[in-house]
Amino acid sequence: MALFVKTYETEMSDKTFVSRLSQADPDEINRRGRADFSTSSVALRYARVILEKYNGQRGGRKLPYRFNG
């Protein structure tokens, strides 16, 4: 989660971040992050899943992909 927050901290508010991710299932984020072997960076695996969950919620603007990898 730290990589996600560090990457997008200027583009989103804390309130929006909390409200969108509170609707996501933490077990699914954990499971999908562990199952992704497309990169050796563990932080990037989870950041990708969190970005997908964040953008998957209705309303508000979507965040672009800004990770290096």
Side-chain angles (χ1 to χ4, degrees):
M1 186 176 295
L3 177 62
F4 178 84
V5 172
K6 182 179 176 184
T7 303
Y8 295 106
E9 66 188 341
T10 60
E11 299 181 49
M12 64 179 180
S13 70
D14 292 342
K15 181 180 177 181
T16 303
F17 175 71
V18 170
S19 69
R20 285 191 177 195
L21 285 188
S22 67
Q23 298 172 15
D25 180 18
D27 291 332
E28 182 181 356
I29 293 172
N30 190 21
R31 181 180 45 79
R32 290 183 53 203
R34 278 188 276 126
D36 181 9
F37 291 106
S38 63
T39 181
S40 61
S41 172
V42 175
L44 182 56
R45 293 177 190 175
Y46 286 98
R48 286 177 178 169
V49 175
I50 292 170
L51 177 63
E52 183 182 321
K53 291 296 182 183
Y54 183 92
N55 284 341
Q57 300 300 320
R58 294 186 355 219
R61 72 180 184 88
K62 308 297 183 202
L63 297 174
Y65 186 89
R66 296 198 193 281
F67 304 116
N68 296 327

